[in-house]
Amino acid sequence: GDSVTQMEGPVTLSEEAFLTINCTYTATGYPSLFWYVQYPGEGLQLLLKATKADDKGSNKGFEATYRKETTSFHLEKGSVQVSDSAVYFCALVRQGAQKLVFGQGTRLTINP
Amino acid sequence: DTAVSQTPKYLVTQMGNDKSIKCEQNLGHDTMYWYKQDSKKFLKIMFSYNNKELIINETVPNRFSPKSPDKAHLNLHINSLELGDSAVYFCASSQDLIGGTEAFFGQGTRLTVV
């Protein structure tokens, strides 16, 4: 079945550090890929997405590129801020399906 | 205006009780969902409704019964609550998910069964 695997957390970085959160997926066909973010006490919000191979999603300084050959969608940011502290979820929707399949989430803490 | 709203935000109840969580969306979406987030933050779909019709039921115990009176509402009723039901339940909606359409989530309902 469809699945998403993210790097184990928690991840703790200093402000202005470079961030990578790895995400790989298993799905048939060409799924759409997403990163959602959950700030403390809130619901999930879409951070960025990519719907086909080699697409790059970007938002708020975060980027991720849909790599079909490695079935990956790694999240990156060049310089993190304290306000980026949250739980980040990688997710996919298989073609024709009507449900998001989430990875286990990665808790990110940024220290000033 | 809140796009997807759930009530209550917190719910503490004893084992064996029956409780409901309500969800409403004002986005005009056709599809609504219930997700369960466990203590390790893992999110898994429970149900999906499209235009009041159940389209996904992910092997959830039949103590959980979703009800959609109209396409803007999807309520979750839970009978005979168990300790293992303690979790955060998220309601979400989307126009559809095909082609990468965004899903919008409520703030969650933290259910604690004691």
Side-chain angles (χ1 to χ4, degrees), chain A residues 20-32:
Chain A
T20 300
I21 301 178
N22 289 339
C23 170
T24 57
Y25 67 89
T26 301
T28 54
Y30 292 85
S32 295

Side-chain angles (χ1 to χ4, degrees), chain B residues 34-36 44-47 56-58 60 64 76 89:
Chain B
W34 278 108
Y35 281 83
K36 180 180 179 180
K44 187 170 182 188
I45 191 166
M46 301 173 69
F47 301 104
I56 293 175
N57 181 343
E58 289 279 309
V60 176
F64 290 79
L76 183 64
Y89 292 84

Side-chain angles (χ1 to χ4, degrees), chain B residues 72-92:
Chain B
H73 295 83
L74 180 61
N75 303 322
L76 183 64
H77 189 75
I78 315 170
N79 289 328
S80 304
L81 277 154
E82 300 178 358
L83 292 176
D85 297 331
S86 296
V88 181
Y89 292 84
F90 286 99
C91 179

Side-chain angles (χ1 to χ4, degrees), chain A residues 32 34 36 38 43-44 46 49 51 89 93 98-100 102 104 107, chain B residues 33 35 37 41 43 45 56 58 90 96-97 99-100 102-103 105-106:
Chain A
S32 295
F34 305 82
Y36 278 82
Q38 184 180 24
L44 282 75
L46 179 66
K49 68 179 183 183
T51 58
F89 292 91
V93 174
Q98 280 281 21
K99 64 177 183 180
L100 281 157
F102 287 93
Q104 68 268 42
R107 183 181 296 278
Chain B
Y33 313 82
Y35 281 83
Q37 186 176 45
K41 295 289 188 181
L43 268 161
I45 191 166
I56 293 175
E58 289 279 309
F90 286 99
D96 61 56
L97 290 179
E102 179 180 357
F105 285 77

